[in-house]
Amino acid sequence: DSLKSKDYNVVIILLESWLARYVGALGGKPDATPNFDSLAQRGVLFEHFYATGTRTNRGIVSVLCSYPSQAGRSVMRRYSINHASTSIVEILKNRGYQNILVYGGDLQFDNMEGFLRGQGFEKFIRQEDFPLGTKLGRWGVPDQLTYERANEEFAKFGDKPFLGFIVTVSNHEPYLLPSDSFKIFSDNISQSDYLNTFHYSDRALGQFFKISE
């Protein structure tokens, strides 16, 4: 039946501090995002598609719930308003989808876990679920380890449709790399620390899709 619908798996990746002016596929310079640019050529890139918010706690609410950023305390941090509006989590859950959040950071920060449980998320992977010694700085484990764990968890769903939500942390100040081998922009370039973690985050993204294929 050509009209029969199929429940495809849905994976949403929230990329920490990715600015359009540094994304090559959007005309940005320098060449910090070769993997994302390649994905953009092979897929569909929406150039006027926005989720508002200057902080992660606002961006998550906007992406999952289509809820605009408001003045004052973010919806995520308003502990009595965990159900901001109908979310994609709830919509897919009603279609029989399982779900999982994979985040290499602290889920208690900004009431992230409380809010996401209120939206219908049931399974969580957080920094405590990664091996000891893998945390890099205060924000959590490097993106590559987050993506590797995401692929492992996604495989456990088998043929059952799922929603996977990945939140990255590597491209966040103080802009730490797992090792200097990932450093490609020299120190004499403006914002070299940021650009190097940006490029590393892009590299980890490319590796995620390579393993997924």
Side-chain angles (χ1 to χ4, degrees):
D1 185 356
S2 60
L3 297 179
K4 186 177 181 180
S5 64
K6 180 178 179 179
D7 288 327
Y8 290 95
N9 296 328
V10 177
V11 176
I12 300 173
I13 304 174
L14 195 69
L15 298 164
E16 172 66 42
S17 298
W18 273 50
L19 300 180
R21 65 174 176 267
Y22 295 118
V23 176
L26 298 174
K29 300 293 182 181
D31 185 18
T33 57
N35 289 285
F36 181 88
D37 299 345
S38 175
L39 291 169
Q41 291 178 352
R42 292 154 49 193
V44 179
L45 176 65
F46 296 95
E47 298 183 8
H48 300 284
F49 191 85
Y50 301 93
T52 61
T54 56
R55 290 177 55 86
T56 302
N57 59 27
R58 299 174 186 271
I60 287 176
V61 176
S62 187
V63 168
L64 296 180
C65 307
S66 300
Y67 199 88
S69 182
Q70 302 291 308
R73 175 175 285 191
S74 70
V75 170
M76 181 177 288
R77 298 184 66 188
R78 297 178 189 178
Y79 300 99
S80 61
I81 315 178
N82 281 334
H83 201 281
S85 61
T86 301
S87 70
I88 188 173
V89 190
E90 183 179 359
I91 292 171
L92 292 180
K93 195 173 182 178
N94 289 337
R95 289 183 63 114
Y97 277 65
Q98 299 180 81
N99 60 62
I100 185 172
L101 167 77
V102 184
Y103 176 51
D106 180 8
L107 273 178
Q108 301 309 309
F109 186 73
D110 278 348
N111 187 41
M112 186 182 295
E113 182 176 358
F115 174 80
L116 293 175
R117 284 192 185 279
Q119 304 311 308
F121 271 107
E122 297 175 329
K123 186 172 183 180
F124 297 84
I125 300 295
R126 66 199 79 201
Q127 64 183 19
E128 293 85 355
D129 297 313
F130 290 84
L132 291 175
T134 56
K135 182 180 177 181
L136 184 66
R138 61 178 176 168
W139 293 112
V141 304
D143 287 357
Q144 185 172 348
L145 297 182
T146 301
Y147 286 126
E148 288 175 358
R149 183 60 181 270
N151 269 319
E152 292 173 4
E153 295 296 329
F154 294 167
K156 296 177 182 179
F157 289 116
D159 295 330
K160 299 177 181 178
F162 68 86
L163 165 66
F165 187 38
I166 304 172
V167 182
T168 71
V169 299
S170 286
N171 198 35
H172 192 298
E173 60 82 25
Y175 310 121
L176 301 175
L177 293 168
S179 77
D180 286 343
S181 64
F182 295 106
K183 189 175 181 179
I184 69 165
F185 296 101
S186 64
D187 293 338
N188 60 1
I189 294 178
S190 176
Q191 295 186 305
S192 61
D193 289 347
Y194 168 78
L195 289 172
N196 278 314
T197 54
F198 202 150
H199 184 269
Y200 166 74
S201 182
D202 175 78
R203 182 183 185 277
L205 177 70
Q207 186 67 18
F208 168 73
F209 279 95
K210 182 179 180 180
I211 295 174
S212 301
E213 291 175 347

